[in-house]
Amino acid sequence: MKNIQSSFGIALHMHQPIIPAGGDDLRTARLISNLQYMMEHQNTGDNHNASVFLDCYSRMSDIVREFADAGKDPRIMLDYSGNLLWGLKDMGEERVLDNLKLITSDKKYWGYVEWLGTMWSHSVVSSTPVPDIRLHIKAWQEDFAGIFGVKALERVKGFSAPEMHLAIHPDVCFEYVKALKECGYRWLMVQEHTIENLDASPIRRPHFPHKLVAKNSLGEKVEITVIIKTQGSDNKLIGQMQPYYEAKGLNHEKYCGLDLPPFVAQIGDGENGGVMMNEFPPMYKIVFQEIARDGVVGMNATEYLEFIKAAGLKEDSFMPVQPVSQSKIWEFVKEFSPGASDRAIENAKKKYPGFSLERASWTNDKDWVKGYEHVMDPIIELSIAFHKKFDGRERFETVPYKKALFYLLLSQTSCFRYWGSGLWTDYAKEICRRGMEIINKS
């Protein structure tokens, strides 16, 4: 402990959506990975980067093994969406998955790499129908275990939310955290500005773990440890290994009564943009060449939590936090009862202009619902029809159930709203149409 001045951890987020683009007619086009579409249309936009993206999905295995074999101590956290894993298999890119298996399933290397769970279809939690949240979490776990094995899944303790989004609505946040805990997750990565202290003040100790307190309209409470990602969304922070250089300027601090090294956490796209395609690998190698000389060490998040636990810090002593702006909701909850949060939210909107439930993500200027009613309505209709058809029935292994589930989860991919109205929202509506067709025929 005394020899460690500070620590840092970096995570790479990898994702490619699945789209109905395997043909010219949207209503009959085969579902394919957007990466495959890029490969087949390299003269369009930035699609010429497709082969480089493919290499990015595989290369951390090569880098980690190279450094580990040379006696170095590399660290990396990996977040691959279920969409991407499905797409790599569908494209026949087993070589990428086989390469990743080397650092996931070989005991020689798995200590250097931490996989993070996520929502299967890269769906934003607050705009995902509540009954579907658990379906996304479980679907990713099942796909991951199918590729890398059950033992590898047992080592997945952290969760990376798509778009770094945290639900503000108390009832949604409660169900989300409850699902994470019940699915075996120990911690959640959150953006610094998406949480607040229980007294509504900003976070003051971002380099130490906190506990997220999720409370619903009935007063029920569930908690989960959170690792805080500082600053905004900028791949340059990862590409230029900023977390390491930030950690070099930090030293031991008192936290919950103990003298502990801080932990700087960052996550960014692992393939997107020139800085990640070209600058990141050499910068990563430079850092892990020099890292042992200055008391700053690389750690993955679960490793850091185990480290401070061994130093005597108990999780129940972590500083408590809640989703940002929840204080404005609790201000109007006079007693716990069904619908109490909804009524309080309506009052908060009247008192606080600009109050929104949708902006606790990597950027606070993105709304995942407003302006997308023409997409959200079919998504909600599909979800209702799915649960009405299948809930409470012993049909979970049937072909219609699996097909309908696939379309249900797929329709909620954030990309179908991230890029605005047009072709991408048309993709979502077409996926919803196909899902409803399966449900109505089964």
Side-chain angles (χ1 to χ4, degrees), residues 325-384:
S325 299
Q326 267 201 3
S327 56
K328 295 182 174 65
I329 299 173
W330 298 127
E331 177 184 341
F332 294 99
V333 176
K334 304 308 179 185
E335 62 179 22
F336 294 115
S337 62
S341 294
D342 291 330
R343 293 188 291 272
I345 287 167
E346 290 307 310
N347 287 322
K349 288 179 178 178
K350 295 175 184 176
K351 181 175 179 179
Y352 300 103
F355 178 88
S356 172
L357 296 174
E358 308 303 329
R359 295 179 178 176
S361 62
W362 58 265
T363 176
N364 52 11
D365 65 354
K366 194 76 177 175
D367 194 310
W368 300 98
V369 174
K370 188 176 180 180
Y372 292 106
E373 291 80 4
H374 61 304
V375 177
M376 288 304 303
D377 288 348
I379 287 174
I380 293 170
E381 290 170 7
L382 176 59
S383 178
I384 292 171

Side-chain angles (χ1 to χ4, degrees), residues 77-282:
M77 291 179 279
L78 298 175
D79 157 16
Y80 283 51
S81 72
N83 280 187
L84 175 58
L85 295 175
W86 182 95
L88 291 171
K89 289 188 292 183
D90 185 67
M91 292 172 65
E93 291 293 347
E94 297 290 341
R95 61 188 177 90
V96 174
L97 298 175
D98 288 343
N99 202 31
L100 292 171
K101 288 176 185 177
L102 296 176
I103 55 171
T104 306
S105 304
D106 188 335
K107 192 172 183 178
K108 179 180 179 181
Y109 301 111
W110 77 44
Y112 303 109
V113 179
E114 176 167 14
W115 281 91
L116 307 180
T118 190
M119 303 281 273
W120 185 85
S121 192
H122 205 268
S123 61
V124 175
V125 173
S126 69
S127 59
T128 299
V130 170
D132 301 340
I133 293 174
R134 185 184 302 269
L135 295 178
H136 278 279
I137 295 170
K138 294 294 291 185
W140 184 91
Q141 290 180 315
E142 290 170 6
D143 270 14
F144 183 86
I147 295 170
F148 300 108
V150 175
K151 291 295 184 182
L153 178 61
E154 290 173 354
R155 295 191 294 274
V156 180
K157 299 300 181 185
F159 194 85
S160 175
E163 309 295 349
M164 291 299 296
H165 193 84
L166 181 62
I168 296 174
H169 192 298
D171 295 336
V172 177
C173 187
F174 175 84
E175 294 299 330
Y176 174 42
V177 174
K178 181 182 176 184
L180 289 175
K181 296 281 284 187
E182 291 178 352
C183 290
Y185 287 102
R186 178 179 173 186
W187 61 269
L188 168 69
M189 185 178 290
V190 298
Q191 179 83 28
E192 182 178 8
H193 70 255
T194 66
I195 53 176
E196 63 185 15
N197 293 311
L198 299 188
D199 63 2
S201 63
I203 303 306
R204 296 182 291 272
R205 309 297 298 279
H207 299 125
F208 292 93
H210 290 57
K211 61 180 176 185
L212 177 68
V213 180
K215 188 166 58 177
N216 67 9
S217 292
L218 301 179
E220 297 173 312
K221 186 169 66 174
V222 63
E223 299 174 351
I224 192 169
T225 294
V226 290
I227 296 293
I228 300 174
K229 172 196 179 299
T230 58
Q231 304 187 50
S233 178
D234 188 344
N235 287 338
K236 289 181 180 178
L237 296 176
I238 295 290
Q240 297 174 1
M241 294 298 289
Q242 178 272 341
Y244 166 65
Y245 295 102
E246 181 179 349
K248 288 181 71 171
L250 303 175
N251 214 321
H252 279 220
E253 297 180 35
K254 286 285 186 182
Y255 182 69
C256 299
L258 293 174
D259 191 39
L260 299 170
F263 181 69
V264 180
Q266 283 291 346
I267 185 171
D269 291 344
E271 80 284 57
N272 199 8
V275 67
M276 290 309 300
M277 289 189 288
N278 304 310
E279 298 177 30
F280 169 69

Side-chain angles (χ1 to χ4, degrees), residues 2 6 11 23 33 40 59 68 74 83 85 98 133 144 188 211 221 234 244 285 292 302 385 395 416 421 438 441:
K2 292 181 180 179
S6 59
S33 170
E40 295 171 353
R59 69 187 180 189
N83 280 187
L85 295 175
D98 288 343
I133 293 174
F144 183 86
L188 168 69
K211 61 180 176 185
K221 186 169 66 174
D234 188 344
Y244 166 65
K285 293 180 179 181
T302 300
R395 304 183 65 176
F416 298 144
S421 297
I438 291 169
K441 288 182 177 179

